[in-house]
Amino acid sequence: MSTPPVSFNKAAINKQAIVSQLLPFSCVDGPGSRLVLFLQGCNYQCKNCHNPHTIGLCDGCGDCIATCPDKALTLIKANNKHQIHWDKDRCSQCDTCLAVCPQQANPKVTRYTVEEILAILHHQRHFINGITVSGGEASLQLPFIIELFKAIKASPQLSQLTCMLNTNGSLSLTGWHKLLPFLDGAMVDLKAWQRDTHRYITGRDNHAVFKSIELLAQQQKLYEVRLLHIPGITDFEQEIDALSCYLLRLGADTRVKLNAFHHHGVVDEALTWPSCTQTDIEALAASLTQRGLTNIVLPSIYL
Ligand code: SF4
Ligand code: SF4
């Protein structure tokens, strides 16, 4: 699909995202070396989340301010609303604020405009292959992503950079159709095969995830399907025939990235779940390969 003509306006270029982290270089978030933006906020409540404080959005309650030993947090008023302000130069990264937040939010966020991210990309463009927007669930800030990717595609200096999305697949088809003209590819997490298992792990069912995967495959923009294997919890082994059939229908060379569950950063019930070993992953990979899938990618590390 060709990129439609672009017109910029000040509102578009000033659109802001709430960013929990900006990684200048990553080689595990899509093809090649990439700048990665992790956006704050998620619509899933995954029990296995490795960064649970990226789920919520701050409501400006102010509860974390007094707990900060470095006085790095203050409350400010912006657009008639209370908003937390984080002074990163004072912060010692003790993470006390994350532990006390009742919203699973993160006061250590930075608001970036499209224009500011474009300036960073101009600076880095000779050292990276593209940008990946990740989360939390990135697609919750879709208007920002669309304006950013649109601006990259329209810039003669940046248009060689690929624009990728890392997603839980919950975006509606209407949302995808708005993004697709400016998107080069997406990495989609399929967190479980059966709807009930998916709901148990994430709090939501997986109907939209299948729709997203199918649309992206049809549009040749499905970079990879990601399966996080949690032995005895996820159902990929029990449902291996149905899962393989589904992936084969997308194409035998569909890139399937296997990830191994580990306990780093998880809380509560997920701490009682078993870690996934190299043997577990290799067994799942062998089952997929036996059923005809040819492009299985194994984890680079096991913890
Ligand atoms: S980060 Fe959490 S505790 Fe701090 S102001 Fe926001 S919602 Fe309240
Ligand atoms: S992580 Fe930073 S902002 Fe949070 S409590 Fe510690 S010093 Fe304060």
Side-chain angles (χ1 to χ4, degrees):
M1 192 182 290
S2 62
T3 304
V6 177
S7 62
F8 285 118
N9 58 46
K10 216 163 165 47
I13 214 85
N14 284 337
K15 212 164 266 303
Q16 278 192 335
I18 303 173
V19 176
S20 60
Q21 197 187 358
L22 185 158
L23 264 189
F25 301 101
S26 163
C27 52
V28 293
D29 292 285
S33 173
R34 315 189 66 76
L35 182 141
V36 187
L37 273 186
F38 294 91
L39 305 192
Q40 178 73 21
C42 188
N43 53 354
Y44 282 8
Q45 284 279 341
C46 293
K47 292 180 170 160
N48 58 287
C49 183
H50 295 297
N51 296 301
H53 56 273
T54 62
I55 293 174
L57 284 175
C58 172
D59 63 6
C61 74
D63 286 3
C64 55
I65 293 174
T67 68
C68 174
D70 296 307
K71 305 211 176 332
L73 300 170
T74 47
L75 216 51
I76 57 168
K77 225 169 181 189
N79 302 325
N80 259 345
K81 277 204 254 167
H82 284 303
Q83 195 173 291
I84 203 86
H85 177 261
W86 171 54
D87 183 343
K88 65 173 87 145
D89 296 330
R90 279 175 170 261
C91 175
S92 58
Q93 300 294 348
C94 69
D95 286 350
T96 308
C97 52
L98 304 185
V100 300
C101 177
Q103 304 292 336
Q104 284 188 298
N106 175 11
K108 298 185 288 173
V109 294
T110 308
R111 286 172 168 76
Y112 285 99
T113 62
V114 168
E115 195 168 23
E116 287 166 332
I117 299 297
L118 292 176
I120 296 170
L121 289 171
H122 270 281
H123 193 65
Q124 311 249 108
R125 67 187 192 276
H126 299 303
F127 312 106
I128 54 175
N129 301 98
I131 176 169
T132 295
V133 185
S134 187
E137 173 47 30
S139 69
L140 297 183
Q141 300 188 52
L142 189 66
F144 168 85
I145 301 171
I146 291 173
E147 294 305 338
L148 176 63
F149 287 3
K150 195 192 282 188
I152 292 169
K153 297 297 178 195
S155 160
Q157 293 82 29
L158 300 179
S159 60
Q160 84 284 1
L161 299 177
T162 53
C163 296
M164 313 279 294
L165 188 73
N166 208 343
T167 175
N168 64 22
S170 61
L171 182 61
S172 68
L173 294 184
T174 310
W176 281 118
H177 282 294
K178 287 182 190 160
L179 180 63
L180 277 171
F182 314 104
L183 178 77
D184 291 295
M187 290 72 83
V188 185
D189 289 317
L190 177 60
K191 297 192 188 257
W193 175 258
Q194 287 287 351
R195 192 175 51 185
D196 288 346
T197 314
H198 195 274
R199 195 178 284 132
Y200 166 67
I201 295 171
T202 71
R204 303 261 304 241
D205 86 26
N206 54 8
H207 181 73
V209 185
F210 289 120
K211 291 276 170 225
S212 295
I213 290 173
E214 288 152 28
L215 176 69
L216 287 162
Q218 206 183 73
Q219 300 287 323
Q220 298 184 320
K221 295 200 173 177
L222 180 66
Y223 177 72
E224 74 187 10
V225 176
R226 295 182 165 182
L227 307 178
L228 174 72
H229 187 25
I230 314 173
I233 303 292
T234 47
D235 55 5
F236 303 129
E237 288 160 313
Q238 298 93 309
E239 303 290 349
I240 192 73
D241 288 324
L243 171 67
S244 303
C245 253
Y246 178 78
L247 294 171
L248 280 170
R249 275 207 306 277
L250 302 173
D253 62 347
T254 298
R255 186 178 152 102
V256 181
K257 173 85 194 290
L258 303 184
N259 287 323
F261 171 72
H262 56 81
H263 291 131
H264 182 74
V266 303
V267 293
D268 302 332
E269 188 181 340
L271 285 169
T272 66
W273 294 351
S275 289
C276 178
T277 64
Q278 188 166 352
T279 309
D280 296 324
I281 283 285
E282 285 171 356
L284 180 59
S287 298
L288 292 165
T289 305
Q290 275 161 18
R291 287 162 179 80
L293 286 149
T294 59
N295 194 1
I296 309 292
V297 183
L298 301 183
S300 38
I301 48 163
Y302 300 86
L303 293 177

